[in-house]
């Protein structure tokens, strides 16, 4: 029963809630491989994206193929719509540098690279792996991601409704209470942001919900730049 309730609760947040099980894709084992620099890995994916891929051998019958195609069409239509929104934001602010928070925005990142390669006049998009997994890899006991999320909820408890400029300013104040400049988490994130060598203000692209990581990156950048989310939590919709 609890499983059914969970499925029902997730239903409104699914573009295509029906699950399709493909046995050929189950229990895939990935061999250990050497570490590779992120941009080099993205370059590999970009090159491979030019090659047509056939997955018909993974599907058991025509009906399963039809359902798979339907789900793919729904997903990719949303991806393209989101990508066009990113392009529009970049046209409004031609000096902005798009920064994609992977993994959720990988297809958008590759899509923008493709558009740039075919004549779209924008700065080189940057991929960035900064997420809860990144925080976990730092092996820091204080759980900085939770602190940043608590900062968001703390602001909403004190000032709701809250316009975005006020919200961003209050977030910087809250975050500065949690971390000193020499805090390992802050230093690591700042070093990572600096390593991108942005030639303009960042436009951070994220899948969404709370916007914790984009807010944090902008706080490190003296609140210079902007971000967009595919979706957000209902209690932040009026702010974002």
């Amino acid at each position: 029963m609890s499983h059914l309730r969970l499925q029902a609760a997730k239903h409104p947040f699914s573009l295509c809630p029906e699950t399709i099980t493909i046995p050929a894709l189950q229990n895939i084992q990935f061999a250990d491989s050497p570490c590779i620099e992120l941009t080099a890995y993205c370059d590999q994916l970009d090159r491979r994206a030019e090659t047509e891929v056939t997955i018909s051998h993974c599907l058991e019958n025509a009906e399963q193929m039809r359902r798979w195609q339907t789900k793919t069409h729904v997903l990719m239509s949303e991806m393209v719509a989101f990508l066009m929104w990113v392009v529009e934001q970049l046209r409004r602010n031609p000096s902005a540098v798009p920064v994609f928070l992977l993994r959720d925005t990988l297809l958008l990142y590759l899509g923008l690279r493709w558009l740039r390669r075919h004549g779209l006049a924008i700065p080189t998009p940057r991929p960035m792996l900064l997420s809860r997994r990144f925080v976990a890899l730092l092996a820091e006991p204080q759980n900085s991601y939770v602190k940043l999320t608590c900062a968001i909820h703390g602001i909403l408890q004190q000032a709701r409704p809250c316009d975005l400029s006020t919200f961003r300013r209050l977030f910087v104040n809250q975050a500065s209470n949690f971390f000193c400049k020499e805090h390992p988490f802050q230093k690591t994130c700042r070093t990572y942001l600096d390593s991108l060598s942005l030639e303009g203000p960042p436009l951070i692209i994220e899948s969404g919900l709370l916007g914790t990581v984009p807010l944090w990156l902008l706080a490190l950048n003296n609140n210079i730049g902007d971000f967009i989310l595919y979706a957000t939590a209902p209690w932040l919709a009026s702010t974002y």
Side-chain angles (χ1 to χ4, degrees), residues 74-93:
V74 170
L75 174 63
M76 296 310 298
S77 295
E78 288 294 297
M79 287 282 189
V80 170
F82 190 14
L83 180 59
M84 291 302 99
W85 186 34
V86 171
V87 170
E88 179 60 28
Q89 298 302 310
L90 292 170
R91 283 175 174 160
R92 292 181 182 181
N93 187 1

Side-chain angles (χ1 to χ4, degrees), residues 19-219:
T19 300
I20 300 174
T21 301
I22 300 180
L25 300 180
Q26 305 300 314
N27 301 319
I28 296 177
Q29 299 295 320
F30 295 95
D32 292 335
S33 59
C35 291
I36 182 172
E37 199 272 335
L38 177 61
T39 53
Y41 180 66
C42 289
D43 288 343
Q44 287 187 13
L45 293 178
D46 197 20
R47 289 191 295 270
R48 292 180 181 181
E50 298 292 337
T51 304
E52 184 176 344
V53 176
T54 301
I55 64 165
S56 56
H57 62 281
C58 299
L59 302 164
E60 297 178 342
N61 50 59
E63 175 60 17
Q64 195 176 68
M65 171 68 84
R66 184 195 65 78
R67 290 160 58 201
W68 181 269
Q69 289 174 331
T70 299
K71 286 177 70 80
T72 302
H73 183 268
V74 170
L75 174 63
M76 296 310 298
S77 295
E78 288 294 297
M79 287 282 189
V80 170
F82 190 14
L83 180 59
M84 291 302 99
W85 186 34
V86 171
V87 170
E88 179 60 28
Q89 298 302 310
L90 292 170
R91 283 175 174 160
R92 292 181 182 181
N93 187 1
S95 64
V97 181
V99 177
F100 290 85
L101 295 182
L102 308 183
R103 64 186 177 183
D104 292 355
T105 61
L106 174 61
L107 293 181
L108 295 167
Y109 167 70
L110 294 176
L112 196 63
R113 285 182 55 151
W114 186 89
L115 290 174
R116 187 175 185 271
R117 198 159 56 243
H118 287 78
L120 182 65
I122 59 168
T124 303
R126 308 295 208 278
M128 193 173 194
L129 276 173
L130 179 55
S131 61
R132 280 171 286 185
R133 176 65 174 168
F134 175 88
V135 177
L137 289 173
L138 292 178
E140 47 138 0
Q142 296 176 315
N143 203 335
S144 297
Y145 183 87
V146 172
K147 286 187 175 183
L148 295 175
T149 302
C150 289
I152 291 175
H153 291 289
I155 293 168
L156 293 175
Q157 288 177 345
Q158 298 170 17
R160 185 180 179 188
C162 187
D163 65 85
L164 183 54
S165 60
T166 302
F167 187 79
R168 286 176 54 170
R169 176 175 54 80
L170 293 175
F171 182 86
V172 172
N173 295 337
Q174 288 273 6
S176 63
N177 291 334
F178 290 146
F179 308 113
C180 65
K181 289 185 178 180
E182 297 304 311
H183 190 283
F185 174 69
Q186 174 154 322
K187 289 181 67 176
T188 302
C189 292
R190 187 179 297 279
T191 299
Y192 193 179
L193 183 61
D194 291 343
S195 72
L196 298 181
S197 300
L198 303 179
E199 60 268 34
L203 176 68
I204 302 168
I205 297 99
E206 167 71 300
S207 55
L209 191 59
L210 299 180
T212 307
V213 175
L215 283 170
W216 171 239
L217 290 174
L218 292 177

